[in-house]
Amino acid sequence: MMQNVHLAPETDEDDLYSGYNDYNPIYDIEELENDAAFQQAVRTSHGRRPPITAKISSTAVTRPIATGYGSKTSLASSIGRPMTGAIQDGVTRPMTAVRAAGFTKAALRGSAFDPLGQSRGPAPPLEAKKKDSPEEKIKQLEKEVNELVEESCIASSCGDLKLVLFNLASQYSVNEMYAEALNTYQVIVKNKMFSNAGILKMNMGNIYLKQRNYSKAIKFYRMALDQVPSVNKQMRIKIMQNIGVTFIQAGQYSDAINSYEHIMSMAPNLKAGYNLTICYFAVGDREKMKKAFQKLIAVPLEIDEDKYISPSDDPHTNLVTEAIKNDHLRQMERERKAMAEKYIMTSAKLIAPVIETSFAAGYDWCVEVVKASQYVELANDLEINKAVTYLRQKDYNQAVEILKMLEKKDSRVKSAAATNLSALYYMGKDFAQASSYADIAVNSDRYNPAALTNKGNTVFANGDYEKAAEFYKEALRNDSSCTEALYNIGLTYEKLNRLDEALDCFLKLHAILRNSAEVLYQIANIYELMENPSQAIEWLMQVVSVVPTDPQVLSKLGELYDHEGDKSQAFQYYYESYRYFPCNIEVIEWLGAYYIDTQFWEKAIQYFERASLIQPTQVKWQLMVASCFRRSGNYQKALDTYKDTHRKFPENVECLRFLVRLCTDLGLKDAQEYARKLKRLEKMKEIREQRIKSGRDGSGGSRGKREGSASGDSGQNYSASSKGERLSARLRALPGTNEPYESSSNKEIDASYVDPLGPQIERPKTAAKKRIDEDDFADEELGDDLLPE
């Protein structure tokens, strides 16, 4: 390679290219042939580049490839090579581009070699930005206004109404800044150049309507009606509808009737017909109610159902039909039809009980009118509502008769009727009939979640909890919003002792029904079963926030606090429970025992006296009253109470023992008489015990087995018996072991907790279609969350 290198002769003359071959050793190209990365680059990107040639003047000498002299240092590999333009050892490596390396056209014109451009001097300073002209300022302001308008529109659509309030009065109105909105509208309306003042007057009327200033609202609506041209018929109709709504809210039904009658004569629509029916119902005009209902039925829907049915086997036509079956227009038509059916059903349920002498005759008239209209399928729904009305009036036979008649209709109506019949029989505890009709409902419509829930209820009632859970799960698969199925499956898991799954179900239900006392109580009950009393108390406190006067929830809180050892809190909730329901014997017993513990005998007396009124056949309460009198030092009152108790319960040994003792202490002559009676009763008791003992000799083993089984079972449910046993044991132990009334009660009080929300703790909800006892009008069928009696 070196044979082609020619060194320039040494001379003292200035050479144009002198020193050009002096270079840093790292730029040696000798080893480029052995550099794999460089060779790869040559074969790929660099190898495809066009060759770079430069024209030089004829006086220039052709320069061979430059070489170095002295020590040679081979280039590093591609990993170790310096980057383009990097500085190493104080020398700047030239760029690989032609211009950056110093080869410019200026060199061809005889200029000096200046690869770094040092001869050009420093860069000129930046020009100062000129002041914006008026045109530029206007453009900038217009841009900012448009951005703010867009931001306000986006914020309004996203519901962030307080972010931007620049979109004139509409944003003020949406944010309930009515004074600012009215001022803004006034400024715009005063501008004579604004041609849509009528629309703004209508908006101002809407604001006054929200403020319940009905007179001004009507004034501005009428001003808007005067300013809107007659060619804009649709806008004028909307303004008149607003006038009618304002009259209704103001209670001026006659004026509202005039507005809606005019609308129905000019451009009938569903809302106007519905409101007209309501107005005639408010004034009590039966005949006009009928006419208004007929006008509502006659409003055309303007929906062509035939276009969604393919008339031929043409593939192209079928594709078009499939494409439009669920487009936006079809969805809008469905919404319009659903709204029409809602207005018609609500109007029929409203006027049916008053247009005839009986509600049945009124429903029959509405059914006949509906059958003769385009809404013929609503007739069966009206029949179901007729059955619901019978149920409200407790006329179950008529309701069942109507539902059985509907059972012969098409599958949808048949399923609805059978669902309601199943719910009725379930509430009547006729589980066989309930199961039969639930099967009919499920077979008619397998995707009916209410039918599946009712079927699960009947299986639940028979104790087959696993199978009941399967029906509830299927109901949830068909309708994930079926709260009855989710509630009942939680109860099922609780019965199966799958507490974690039960808790998960009720927590999901709580996310849907935030203020449901039933759900909150069930969550608290699950935590109590999981032996987590702190969480149970926390959830019961939420129940109290929803239903603060429920005595059973309050007593449950008292029980939990008592179990935790917090007597003061327990007393507070037991006392609140007693205030709202002073007949709960468990609460009365606890309060009496609490006052005995604290030695407030007089206060304990009033609770035991109330207990004796509630359970007059229980001798225990009279003995407790007498004991409290004796403890308080009122011996005469105690003696009178014991004598009265002895007259009511002459065979009570404990009462006689205490009478003997008390009369002896007081030195009364009656002590001997009571002693004779006591001796005779003790002898009779002894004979009776001997007879019982002799009768047990032959069955001692089996009896012992039964007692062992019973004792094993009794210790499994704390909430059902442990509290009653604890309270009774405390009452027996209070006066001392030598007191005769300690063991007077052979039958202890059942202190099991009763669910404050009814029997849904033990029995699932029924899933009848609509609510029976709701205040407003039912829709198709029975109640969604109807609970069994």
Side-chain angles (χ1 to χ4, degrees), residues 138-177:
I138 291 173
K139 288 182 180 180
Q140 185 66 22
L141 287 174
E142 183 181 2
K143 181 180 179 182
E144 291 178 1
V145 168
N146 289 333
E147 288 177 354
L148 289 174
V149 170
E150 291 176 1
E151 289 178 3
S152 66
C153 294
I154 293 172
S156 178
S157 64
C158 295
D160 193 359
L161 304 175
K162 295 184 179 179
L163 179 62
V164 179
L165 300 177
F166 189 76
N167 196 2
L168 295 176
S170 61
Q171 288 298 318
Y172 284 126
S173 178
V174 169
N175 287 275
E176 298 183 358
M177 304 171 65

Side-chain angles (χ1 to χ4, degrees), residues 495-551:
K495 287 288 187 181
L496 294 171
N497 202 28
R498 294 155 63 176
L499 299 181
D500 291 332
E501 296 177 66
L503 181 62
D504 183 58
C505 291
F506 288 122
L507 289 175
K508 288 179 181 178
L509 196 56
H510 174 62
I512 302 172
L513 307 174
R514 302 295 300 180
N515 294 322
S516 173
E518 295 175 342
V519 178
L520 293 171
Y521 177 79
Q522 290 296 340
I523 295 174
N525 186 48
I526 294 295
Y527 276 120
E528 184 186 5
L529 294 175
M530 297 172 71
E531 299 181 354
N532 191 344
S534 60
Q535 282 292 328
I537 290 173
E538 181 179 343
W539 284 96
L540 281 176
M541 293 297 292
Q542 296 189 41
V543 180
V544 171
S545 67
V546 178
V547 281
T549 60
D550 193 306

Side-chain angles (χ1 to χ4, degrees), residues 626 628-639:
C628 290
F629 278 127
R630 187 190 62 80
R631 285 274 179 173
S632 64
N634 194 343
Y635 297 105
Q636 185 61 43
K637 193 69 175 175
L639 181 61

Side-chain angles (χ1 to χ4, degrees), residues 68-88:
Y69 56 91
S71 63
K72 299 292 188 297
T73 304
S74 63
L75 286 175
S77 65
S78 61
I79 298 177
R81 290 174 56 199
M83 295 175 60
T84 303
I87 300 176
Q88 293 188 3

Side-chain angles (χ1 to χ4, degrees), residues 189-225:
V189 168
K190 287 180 180 179
N191 187 358
K192 302 299 182 182
M193 300 299 293
F194 190 72
S195 59
N196 294 321
I199 299 176
L200 295 187
K201 293 282 182 66
M202 184 179 69
N203 290 349
M204 295 173 73
N206 292 340
I207 293 176
Y208 283 120
L209 181 61
K210 291 178 182 178
Q211 294 179 333
R212 299 182 182 275
N213 193 343
Y214 301 123
S215 59
K216 282 194 174 182
I218 293 172
K219 174 184 175 182
F220 276 89
Y221 284 143
R222 285 176 173 169
M223 291 171 63
L225 192 62

Side-chain angles (χ1 to χ4, degrees), residues 201-310:
K201 293 282 182 66
M202 184 179 69
N203 290 349
M204 295 173 73
N206 292 340
I207 293 176
Y208 283 120
L209 181 61
K210 291 178 182 178
Q211 294 179 333
R212 299 182 182 275
N213 193 343
Y214 301 123
S215 59
K216 282 194 174 182
I218 293 172
K219 174 184 175 182
F220 276 89
Y221 284 143
R222 285 176 173 169
M223 291 171 63
L225 192 62
D226 294 337
Q227 295 183 9
V228 171
S230 58
V231 295
N232 198 345
K233 182 179 178 181
Q234 187 176 4
M235 180 59 67
R236 291 177 64 87
I237 292 297
K238 289 182 179 179
I239 296 174
M240 292 190 69
Q241 284 182 338
N242 288 358
I243 293 174
V245 171
T246 308
F247 278 129
I248 290 177
Q249 294 191 11
Q252 303 177 21
Y253 299 110
S254 299
D255 296 327
I257 287 171
N258 295 331
S259 298
Y260 288 124
E261 286 285 6
H262 179 73
I263 295 172
M264 294 301 290
S265 62
M266 297 294 295
N269 60 77
L270 294 169
K271 290 184 179 180
Y274 175 68
N275 290 337
L276 182 61
T277 306
I278 291 177
C279 291
Y280 280 126
F281 175 80
V283 298
D285 194 333
R286 294 183 176 182
E287 295 301 323
K288 293 294 182 64
M289 274 188 263
K290 291 182 178 181
K291 292 181 180 179
F293 184 73
Q294 290 172 338
K295 289 180 181 179
L296 174 62
I297 290 285
V299 173
L301 274 178
E302 299 178 354
I303 298 177
D304 185 12
E305 298 285 351
D306 295 335
K307 66 182 178 182
Y308 301 107
I309 301 174
S310 180

